[in-house]
Amino acid sequence: AENGERALRLLAEQPDVDLVLMDIMMPVMDGLTATQHIRDKLLSDIPIYALTANAESNDKASCFKVGMNKVLTKPIKFEVLQAALNKFEP
């Protein structure tokens, strides 16, 4: 999805999604707001992995506070993404 608002619509339309890779900085609705909506409004416990260029500990804490399960920092290396996905079990 090109923005958080669209991601919410897609999840509402397709509830069989196993995992969300959520960018933090998006137009219209950012990833933190979208994640909070997924947790509080859609009442979904779907795993959400944050993708962010902000690697500071307070930025990561913000991701976990809204209910994200993992934080991956950009630029994403294929090996790191693959390792995170290998630990994921639907």
Side-chain angles (χ1 to χ4, degrees):
E2 62 276 4
N3 62 60
E5 192 174 274
R6 178 77 177 125
L8 294 176
R9 282 196 307 257
L10 286 172
L11 282 173
E13 295 167 3
Q14 301 173 15
D16 60 339
V17 172
D18 293 321
L19 172 71
V20 173
L21 298 175
M22 183 73 75
D23 195 356
I24 299 303
M25 302 296 259
M26 294 185 288
V28 182
M29 179 186 291
D30 65 62
L32 295 174
T33 304
T35 297
Q36 197 160 27
H37 187 88
I38 291 167
R39 298 297 189 230
D40 297 343
K41 304 286 192 237
L42 298 180
L43 302 176
S44 176
D45 62 352
I46 187 170
I48 301 173
Y49 289 7
L51 305 177
T52 181
N54 301 326
E56 300 293 322
S57 60
N58 60 336
D59 295 317
K60 289 181 180 181
S62 295
C63 292
F64 292 123
K65 183 177 179 182
V66 297
M68 292 183 172
N69 302 90
K70 187 162 191 66
V71 177
L72 302 172
T73 55
K74 294 179 186 179
I76 304 292
K77 294 184 174 122
F78 178 77
E79 302 82 32
V80 173
L81 178 59
Q82 185 66 48
L85 294 176
N86 286 341
K87 292 179 183 177
F88 168 72
E89 293 182 32

